[in-house]
Amino acid sequence: MASNLELIRKQREALEKQTAAASKKRRKAAVETNSAEASRPIICDIEFFNVEQLVEMTGWSRKTILNMFNNDPDFKGRNNGKSWIIEAHALIEYFSKGKPIEEEAI
């Protein structure tokens, strides 16, 4: 059985790969279009994840993820009207702290 830290490290690596692939795909699409926006330089890519995406990425329950959004001050999510979102870099920073999973669900 993998340790909690090893599991978190693997999840963080998977998230970083997914974020990098999505960024590359968006940049390629922007270059291929002929719009005025495509000719502007890309300053930074911002990617957000919702509850369902986090459930899929982590394998945790929806209740656990919502609990993190609502009760964990280190989990820098935002309420976006009817749903919760978190920016990819904030998610990576959260997982890089290496808290045990038992503490995250509190």
Side-chain angles (χ1 to χ4, degrees):
M1 177 179 244
S3 70
N4 290 342
L5 292 177
E6 184 178 331
L7 179 63
I8 290 170
R9 182 185 56 77
K10 287 180 181 180
Q11 290 169 344
R12 185 179 70 224
E13 288 173 358
L15 177 62
E16 288 171 346
K17 286 179 185 177
Q18 183 181 9
T19 303
S23 271
K24 186 176 179 180
K25 190 175 183 179
R26 278 195 308 276
R27 276 189 233 122
K28 184 177 179 182
V31 169
E32 291 174 352
T33 62
N34 291 327
S35 69
E37 289 184 20
S39 64
R40 288 189 212 158
I42 296 175
I43 296 171
C44 87
D45 291 323
I46 299 176
E47 185 169 4
F48 294 95
F49 296 100
N50 62 26
V51 174
E52 289 74 25
Q53 290 169 319
L54 293 175
V55 167
E56 185 179 323
M57 281 190 288
T58 62
W60 298 339
S61 71
R62 179 177 171 81
K63 182 179 178 181
T64 299
I65 300 294
L66 288 173
N67 212 5
M68 290 167 62
F69 275 113
N70 287 313
N71 301 320
D72 191 340
D74 294 330
F75 198 72
K76 306 291 186 202
R78 297 189 65 123
N79 191 335
N80 187 28
K82 294 182 179 182
S83 63
W84 286 94
I85 58 172
I86 187 167
E87 199 267 329
H89 293 99
L91 190 62
I92 292 168
E93 180 182 327
Y94 178 79
F95 281 114
S96 69
K97 291 181 181 179
K99 287 173 126 181
I101 292 177
E102 296 83 32
E103 292 181 21
E104 292 176 358
I106 293 175

